[in-house]
Amino acid sequence: SRRFDFAPRPAAANGVLCFDDTRSENPVGIVIDQTASPTFRNGSYDVTTITWTVRNARATSIAGAQLAWMIDIDLPGVGAIDETVALDPVSGGYFHVAPRNDFVAGLAPLSGPFGALNFFQNVGSKQPLSTVEKKQSLQGREEAPADAGDYYAIAATDPIDLEPGDSIVIAVAFISANSSGSFAAAAGEARSRWFTISDVNDGLGGVQPPSGYRLDQNYPNPFNAGTTIPIQIAGDGSRPARLDVFDLL
């Protein structure tokens, strides 16, 4: 529930933005590096993946922290009064849509489901709110102007526990598509690319090769109804792993 606000450092040569909370007036002790992938395009959709690496930069543990983003997506050529929001059950994301336009735009989580997703709408005459007005209304500092309005959302992670020096990676795909079906397909493509191992910094693959792994003997062996196969993979433990077992007989 502690509020803090800090501006990013200028992007480095590699395009990484750094949000360093340790420089704020009331530091929590979190440092966030943000990167953006090249935009992937085909005839039906465009996808850009934004990745945040969140690190505990203080000497004590952080328990139950949630990261949240205020997100405003505007459809081209569509008045704010016509916008509605639809959830995509396939990807767990959401998109903005207008009844007289098949075009949709939204986002889908890649590294895990949203912990919370809330939508805000101020009707008024449906003139878009400024960024300052949105921040003030969301923080309860000031009511949104009666003659202005917009549709925006707050997306948050699940609670995060971080030991000193530990980090976690959060990734979200921002998608524009020519239909809701294309949106779901784009989310699937983004997730496939994110979980593709990449040993080059091309911004497409989200999983770097582990520095080491170990596969131990299964037990009990021989087994009947079941067995345990121990496997150890070096890393922060935040990414899923899959072990495929084949019958060669």
Side-chain angles (χ1 to χ4, degrees):
S1 60
R2 191 173 180 182
R3 293 175 182 169
F4 57 95
D5 190 12
F6 48 97
R9 293 174 180 168
N14 59 2
V16 176
L17 278 175
C18 180
F19 299 82
D20 187 352
D21 168 59
T22 61
R23 299 180 297 122
S24 67
E25 292 182 0
N26 298 297
V28 174
I30 289 178
V31 175
I32 304 173
D33 288 335
Q34 173 183 294
T35 58
S37 75
T39 300
F40 176 79
R41 295 184 171 94
N42 66 16
S44 300
Y45 54 77
D46 293 359
V47 182
T48 297
T49 297
I50 304 295
T51 303
W52 296 277
T53 302
V54 184
R55 178 171 57 87
N56 179 2
R58 68 187 193 184
T60 57
S61 301
I62 294 177
Q66 282 188 284
L67 278 78
W69 299 267
M70 181 180 70
I71 303 162
D72 177 29
I73 297 175
D74 296 315
L75 300 176
V78 178
I81 194 170
D82 294 323
E83 283 189 34
T84 58
V85 173
L87 299 177
D88 178 38
V90 177
S91 67
Y94 77 93
F95 51 82
H96 289 233
V97 63
R100 296 185 297 274
N101 191 336
D102 290 335
F103 182 81
V104 302
L107 61 153
L110 301 183
S111 53
F114 290 124
L117 189 59
N118 297 291
F119 300 100
F120 300 84
Q121 184 179 29
N122 180 57
V123 288
S125 60
K126 293 307 296 176
Q127 299 300 313
L129 293 172
S130 69
T131 300
V132 173
E133 289 170 334
K134 289 176 183 177
K135 179 181 290 188
Q136 290 177 338
S137 66
L138 289 171
Q139 293 179 342
R141 296 180 182 178
E142 185 177 321
E143 292 291 332
D147 59 347
D150 211 343
Y151 220 136
Y152 47 101
I154 292 289
T157 66
D158 283 321
I160 297 170
D161 297 334
L162 291 174
E163 295 300 318
D166 284 354
S167 63
I168 189 171
V169 177
I170 301 166
V172 174
F174 288 80
I175 301 167
S176 59
N178 59 15
S179 68
S180 58
S182 295
F183 179 93
E189 174 70 18
R191 185 168 287 108
S192 175
R193 286 174 174 269
W194 171 250
F195 286 114
T196 297
I197 290 179
S198 173
D199 58 1
V200 294
N201 188 22
D202 60 4
L204 296 177
V207 181
Q208 300 301 312
S211 58
Y213 68 91
R214 176 178 172 177
L215 180 63
D216 292 329
Q217 175 66 51
N218 66 299
Y219 63 89
N221 183 29
F223 63 91
N224 184 9
T227 190
T228 298
I229 305 176
I231 182 171
Q232 299 179 31
I233 302 176
D236 59 13
S238 64
R239 300 184 179 118
R242 186 181 73 187
L243 176 66
D244 292 327
V245 179
F246 298 93
D247 183 358
L248 301 181
L249 299 179

